[in-house]
Amino acid sequence: MSGILSRIRQCPLPAALLLCALAPILNAQQPALKPAAKPAVESSASPASQQPAGTPQLTRQDLEPFMDGIAPMQLQQGDIAGMVVAVVKDGKVLFAKGYGYSDVARKKPVSVDSTLFRIGSISKTLTWTAVMQLVEAGKIDLDRDVNAYIDFKIPSPFGKPVTMTTLMTHTAGFEEVVKELFVTDTMNIVPLKTWVPNHLPTEIYMPGTTPAYSNYGATLAGYIVERVSGEPFNDYIDAHILRPLGMTHTTFAQPLPASLAPMMSKGYQKASDSAKAYEYVAAWPAGSVAATAEDMTHFMIAHLQDGEYNGARILKPETAQLMHSRLFGAFAALPGMAHGFYEEGRNGQRVVGHGGDTQWFHSDMHLMLDDHIGFFVSYNSAGNGKGTGRADIWHQFLDRYFPFTPPPAARVATAFADDRAVAGSYRSSRRSQTTFISGLELVSQQSVSPNPDTTISVKGMDDLAGNPKHFREIGPKLFRETDGQDMVAFKTDDAGVSTMGIQYPFEVGQRSSLLKNGQLNEIAAGFALLMFLLTL
């Protein structure tokens, strides 16, 4: 789920068309818990009392007009039907409001408490919460071979087993699979007992080494929840998370229960288009949740309060703290993976969160752990790509209430050599290598280009105006956006393989060999097509 559709917008036209076509079928004794790891980079956030003079206070009175100025503009510019924004602070809902329509034809407005949105891969955070409950109960060991919990065999081609730790950090080594990820109707949704063993991907990396986002991995984790708890997955989630948190308008179920179906927002490509059919996710622990924004505030508050909401506790404090702690990072200077959540520090704040995408719905959830602030936003339309999106509304929120200026960095003496050393084409670690879609990665790679001023630019990393961002080296092969906070890092392993890391820790870029170089293959394919047309 998360990332597939966003990558379409960064692909050259041939790849985008192919990906769009594929999108409909394509996120006993209790053991002692490990102490929470410290963040890789210490937070430099200032307490509210030490914010620069004139910084607005985060209150509903200030936040509502601020959001009222952003959200309607996003809907208009992006041709988006509707959206919802919710902010929690210190255990309470500070702000929650719907904008636009859940049904354009009927002019039905979006409601915070009675409009369901598909939250895509944010669903995984409920699955991972269930996993941590069972870790807490002593029924799952994070570092045990998952074959101990299932009724089929996952091979170990690299001599190292898949564990729950590798599943939660997307480092199980699985290649990307899209077969029967989305299906057209409920007739194609089969029990996890059937789906999981029949869709086992090939391992292309040694477990625990390479982040490669995996919807299959989260679905496997959901099946393990079902197996070790003795309850069907949906029943377990309902009994141990949704009901305790009062999330009465949230469900993994497909089709929707009769009581919730009338509340479901329509999904759109654009608001000016007709509504689309309901999306069915066969790998449902990875991304089938439909929820109201009000219910999502309960979930955020529970995580921000170390597992407790309104007197109900779903995790012990030490378990919640462990879940939010860093578990894996390919680059020490960049955000890493927590236990299912991923780090996304920005504006000097310690933040964990998760994004979620279906074809039509696009959502983000951010948890500012030290300030006990949660931010949720969801859109019911893909839009036309012209308006600013969920990242921009989140960044504007942070810039208003937590202004931040990155610390100055000294010029690196080897900048001229380094920007050329890292230049080239990189293919995503999240890819298919043995299936029919493997060829797509040849035309969807990211290229790194040196600029005359010793900065670099990365294909697909553009500013709001659509211009390539410039990244200046601030440490050994560590680059920061010249007028922003985004980071890019590079490293070379003992085998001479170069890797690129960006802000999202669930995948990396791997330097392409000559035969796998996307740019060269595009040129070759174009030449072959030209010769074919001339011959014809």
Side-chain angles (χ1 to χ4, degrees), residues 10 18 32 79 186 223 262 301 361 373 436 456 460 501 503 513 521:
Q10 300 175 5
L18 285 169
D79 197 5
T186 55
Y223 183 48
I301 289 172
F361 290 81
I373 294 170
F436 76 99
I456 62 171
Q503 293 294 107
S513 64
N521 278 280

Side-chain angles (χ1 to χ4, degrees), residues 75-137:
L75 299 184
Q76 182 179 9
Q77 290 181 338
D79 197 5
I80 294 169
M83 64 183 289
V84 66
V85 183
V87 179
V88 301
K89 186 177 188 296
D90 296 330
K92 297 179 180 178
V93 177
L94 183 68
F95 170 81
K97 191 169 183 178
Y99 298 89
Y101 298 112
S102 63
D103 186 331
V104 174
R106 295 171 54 197
K107 295 291 187 286
K108 184 178 179 180
V110 170
S111 167
V112 168
D113 58 359
S114 61
T115 300
L116 299 179
F117 280 72
R118 302 301 295 277
I119 64 171
S121 285
I122 298 176
S123 307
K124 292 180 176 67
T125 61
L126 280 80
T127 299
W128 301 131
T129 299
V131 166
M132 294 304 291
Q133 288 179 331
L134 294 168
V135 170
E136 185 177 279

Side-chain angles (χ1 to χ4, degrees), residues 294-527:
E294 180 181 62
D295 277 13
M296 292 307 297
T297 65
H298 300 185
F299 186 69
M300 290 193 294
I301 289 172
H303 272 280
L304 290 165
Q305 295 193 146
D306 289 338
E308 186 271 336
Y309 171 78
N310 199 26
R313 180 164 291 282
I314 59 169
L315 293 171
K316 292 181 179 179
E318 58 269 29
T319 309
Q321 292 164 18
L322 174 66
M323 187 175 182
H324 302 149
S325 66
R326 186 182 179 99
L327 184 58
F328 175 88
F331 293 84
L334 297 181
M337 288 298 306
H339 296 66
F341 289 92
Y342 51 80
E343 296 177 334
E344 34 172 327
R346 192 173 182 89
N347 282 45
Q349 304 296 314
R350 186 166 70 102
V351 184
V352 298
H354 213 290
D357 299 275
T358 66
Q359 282 185 269
W360 319 126
F361 290 81
H362 304 276
S363 311
D364 264 344
M365 179 179 68
H366 310 278
L367 303 177
M368 300 174 64
L369 299 172
D370 297 331
D371 293 276
H372 307 288
I373 294 170
F375 185 100
F376 172 77
V377 61
S378 187
Y379 304 80
N380 63 8
S381 314
N384 59 20
K386 295 179 181 178
T388 57
R390 52 189 168 168
D392 185 61
I393 197 170
W394 163 238
H395 294 168
Q396 289 194 55
F397 170 83
L398 286 177
D399 290 345
R400 181 170 181 82
Y401 299 107
F402 301 91
F404 176 77
T405 301
R411 291 293 184 98
V412 176
T414 57
F416 185 80
D418 288 346
D419 68 344
R420 281 150 181 77
V422 302
S425 293
Y426 293 78
R427 51 184 181 152
S428 174
S429 59
R430 181 189 182 181
R431 64 176 182 269
S432 177
Q433 206 159 274
T434 67
T435 72
F436 76 99
I437 66 167
S438 60
L440 288 181
E441 62 104 358
L442 295 177
V443 292
S444 61
Q445 297 181 16
Q446 285 186 296
S447 58
V448 177
S449 305
N451 299 313
D453 60 353
T454 71
T455 63
I456 62 171
S457 293
V458 182
K459 178 183 176 182
M461 298 184 71
D462 302 329
D463 60 23
L464 294 178
N467 300 313
K469 293 181 178 180
H470 283 220
F471 296 85
R472 186 173 302 283
E473 192 170 19
I474 61 171
K477 294 186 179 178
L478 175 64
F479 297 77
R480 186 175 67 203
E481 184 183 355
T482 54
D483 296 311
Q485 300 180 48
D486 285 353
M487 306 271 278
V488 183
F490 300 84
K491 65 181 180 181
T492 303
D493 63 19
D494 294 338
V497 178
S498 296
T499 303
M500 174 178 67
I502 56 175
Q503 293 294 107
Y504 299 105
F506 44 74
E507 63 180 326
V508 294
Q510 298 172 320
R511 189 71 168 268
S512 299
S513 64
L514 186 62
L515 291 178
K516 295 291 186 179
N517 188 291
Q519 290 179 313
L520 292 180
N521 278 280
E522 285 183 45
I523 294 171
F527 180 77

Side-chain angles (χ1 to χ4, degrees), residues 17-37:
L17 292 175
L18 285 169
L19 284 171
C20 286
L22 286 168
I25 59 172
L26 279 165
N27 215 26
Q29 183 178 358
Q30 182 173 315
L33 294 173
K34 301 175 184 177

